[in-house]
Amino acid sequence: MKGLRIILTSIALAMLFPLGTSAQKTANYDESLIKPYSLPDPLRMESGRKVRSVRQWEKKRRPELIRLFSEEVFGYVPGKPEGVHFRELTAGEAFDGKALRKEIAVYFDAEETDSLVLLLYLPKEAKGPVPAFLGINFFGNYTTTLDPEVTFPSEAQIAADGNGYGEKPRGFQARRWPYEYILSRGYAVATFYCGDVDPDYDDGFTNGVHGTIYKAKMRTGSSWGTISTWAWGLMRAMDYLESDSSIGKVAVIGHSRLGKTALWAGALDERFSMVISNESGCTGAALSRRAIGETVGVIQSKFPHWFCRNYLKYSDKENTLPVDQHELLALVAPRPLYVASADGDKWSDPKGEYLSLLGAAPVYELYGLEALKDPDQPRVSFPVSAGRSAYHLRHGRHDIVLYDWIQYLNFADQFLK
Ligand code: GTR
């Protein structure tokens, strides 16, 4: 069955990307080859009417943009299922007694058919609620730290995943999660494995919560792809965090595909007090209409399951998109938003990520807030911020490193404490 689905998907993709389209071409990094484009105005309704007040934005344009991103890009995200509940699985001290560690099962239904496991570290000396960062990890909670007490996946979890869960060594991506430093700055950190919600491969829409909780049979043009599913997982993790009296304001953060996810979750769910995109690139922070580095066509030739099917219409036709990614960023307003790029990560189009942030400025300004306006991209290692928007271009490759976290913490100090 799975084999047949893969063959059918390959045939469908071959029809959508015949030889010579962008799926086969090498990426363009040449700015001079960008075709002229004009960005949709975040403050102009589909009807052509201009948005003139915060009320019009919140009541009309914001919901309209959420509908457009749901319908044409990511697929509709369902609300909170009735039976969501939590259970603490483990609790203890970590990092030489400086932190408390908890592992919490977030069950998606009353019957406990499926769940995600949230790994949460809290500074031990904290008095009162502490602000927290919430982000998904790529390979499992146990790969984010060398803390030996973090539970290794069970045989059943490994089998249900079917995507190499458990193969990476403990602490494999610990460098990306500088827990002790984040805790020392007075923040809690929470993370869960993306595959707990939806394993990251195209299985024809049956694995993850699509199959277990939603019993999906048919995938329509606007059915939720994997990024929407991960964003839904972030909201379920948030359901837990808001129930925990030791947690204050929460920033949602993500790197790369999980940065696209953080933006989409942050756009949809205003319980996230701050949103951070680390090198989210194509269909994350980067403007699609620049079609430079990874494009809408290229990304879907490799990861068709991330998006809704309607998005395929826009492969190599970015100018026909009813939205562009600056409008995804604008959906975060008036909350603090941080976008970061790396100079060696041309695939993510660093300049397009910065221009996108500028494109979101009119919505921040509608709220009477200052926003980044300088048309020149900031230099490497010179973080900039204005009002509630911030940006940096880090030196180095596609990654999330301590330098990035330091900037996020400095920015968060202004808003979350
Ligand atoms: C790449 C993909 C990017 C980015 C990245 C990642 O292969 O082309 O869009 O999401 O993966 O998630 O690391």
Side-chain angles (χ1 to χ4, degrees):
M1 200 51 197
K2 189 171 151 192
L4 179 67
R5 267 200 210 102
I6 290 169
I7 292 167
L8 290 175
T9 309
S10 317
I11 294 172
L13 285 173
M15 286 164 70
L16 279 155
F17 300 101
L19 278 175
T21 67
S22 64
Q24 281 76 30
K25 274 190 259 167
T26 48
N28 168 44
Y29 295 117
D30 183 350
E31 291 272 329
S32 71
L33 295 178
I34 295 177
K35 294 191 204 108
Y37 64 86
S38 63
L39 291 179
D41 178 353
L43 292 179
R44 192 166 295 281
M45 305 277 303
E46 274 189 301
S47 66
R49 253 181 73 196
K50 187 81 183 167
V51 172
R52 305 214 179 270
S53 67
V54 165
R55 196 186 146 77
Q56 278 175 329
W57 164 257
E58 289 181 354
K59 294 269 173 274
K60 297 257 193 281
R61 180 58 173 158
R62 193 175 190 285
E64 184 174 277
L65 282 171
I66 287 178
R67 174 175 54 73
L68 290 169
F69 276 103
S70 302
E71 183 76 29
E72 305 295 331
V73 181
F74 296 115
Y76 284 94
V77 179
K80 180 181 176 181
E82 250 178 38
V84 169
H85 63 283
F86 323 108
R87 184 172 311 124
E88 196 172 285
L89 302 174
T90 68
E93 289 191 353
F95 309 127
D96 300 321
K98 291 195 290 277
L100 297 174
R101 176 201 336 94
K102 294 191 207 176
E103 291 171 300
I104 299 120
V106 176
Y107 291 104
F108 306 138
D109 61 353
E111 296 75 33
E112 306 192 352
T113 317
D114 202 355
S115 61
L116 63 82
V117 177
L118 195 65
L119 169 63
L120 173 63
Y121 286 111
L122 293 140
K124 202 175 134 202
E125 301 310 334
K127 292 178 189 56
V130 283
F133 287 89
L134 168 67
I136 312 182
N137 64 73
F138 281 76
F139 299 112
N141 294 346
Y142 77 98
T143 66
T144 68
T145 173
L146 285 164
D147 175 356
E149 301 298 321
V150 175
T151 308
F152 196 79
S154 66
E155 290 300 321
Q157 286 169 318
I158 289 172
D161 179 80
N163 195 32
Y165 191 24
E167 284 172 13
K168 300 281 190 245
R170 196 176 275 282
F172 176 68
Q173 287 201 325
R175 199 177 44 87
R176 287 187 172 180
W177 297 90
Y179 289 137
E180 293 192 62
Y181 178 70
I182 301 168
L183 290 157
S184 77
R185 297 274 307 248
Y187 290 81
V189 202
T191 186
F192 65 89
Y193 168 49
C194 62
D196 274 0
V197 188
D198 195 13
D200 190 6
Y201 63 96
D202 189 8
D203 78 320
F205 202 54
T206 54
N207 64 4
V209 295
H210 293 139
T212 55
I213 302 296
Y214 290 93
K215 317 251 182 299
K217 300 251 169 353
M218 278 268 298
R219 186 172 183 190
T220 69
S222 60
S223 294
W224 49 335
T226 295
I227 287 176
S228 276
T229 317
W230 290 336
W232 177 93
L234 283 168
M235 294 179 214
R236 304 294 69 85
M238 186 64 207
D239 295 340
Y240 168 76
L241 293 174
E242 84 178 342
S243 78
D244 185 331
S245 58
S246 52
I247 300 293
K249 291 184 177 164
V250 176
V252 65
I253 181 168
H255 168 62
S256 206
R257 68 196 68 183
L258 302 174
K260 309 179 208 299
T261 306
L263 285 173
W264 182 220
L268 291 170
D269 192 335
E270 291 168 284
R271 291 177 300 173
F272 294 116
S273 302
M274 177 171 159
V275 181
I276 305 164
S277 153
N278 192 86
E279 298 154 37
S280 58
C282 180
T283 324
L287 292 174
S288 298
R289 278 169 172 74
R290 282 168 51 85
I292 197 164
E294 187 173 35
T295 64
V296 169
V298 168
I299 199 168
Q300 292 187 93
S301 69
K302 290 200 295 178
F303 308 104
H305 60 292
W306 285 356
F307 310 99
C308 74
R309 290 227 167 126
N310 286 341
Y311 197 41
L312 284 166
K313 290 186 288 200
Y314 306 104
S315 293
D316 294 324
K317 295 194 186 71
E318 292 84 358
N319 276 311
T320 64
L321 271 162
V323 289
D324 210 315
Q325 298 306 113
H326 62 304
E327 294 173 304
L328 180 65
L329 301 185
L331 288 169
V332 175
R335 294 163 292 155
L337 168 65
Y338 203 120
V339 172
S341 317
D343 67 346
D345 181 23
K346 299 275 185 271
W347 187 239
S348 298
D349 186 17
K351 186 164 177 197
E353 295 189 312
Y354 179 68
L355 294 178
S356 186
L357 190 54
L358 298 192
V363 180
Y364 280 87
E365 288 171 336
L366 185 71
Y367 280 94
L369 296 163
E370 226 190 303
L372 287 171
K373 299 283 273 187
D374 188 343
D376 294 324
Q377 189 179 10
R379 282 182 296 148
V380 178
S381 307
F382 279 87
V384 291
S385 70
R388 298 189 189 167
S389 61
Y391 178 86
H392 74 249
L393 179 64
R394 176 177 51 75
H395 178 58
R397 64 184 181 88
H398 185 64
D399 203 351
I400 176 167
V401 301
L402 185 60
Y403 176 89
D404 300 307
W405 279 101
I406 291 171
Q407 315 318 315
Y408 303 147
L409 285 155
N410 292 346
F411 189 59
D413 282 349
Q414 299 173 49
F415 303 105
L416 301 189
K417 287 218 159 146

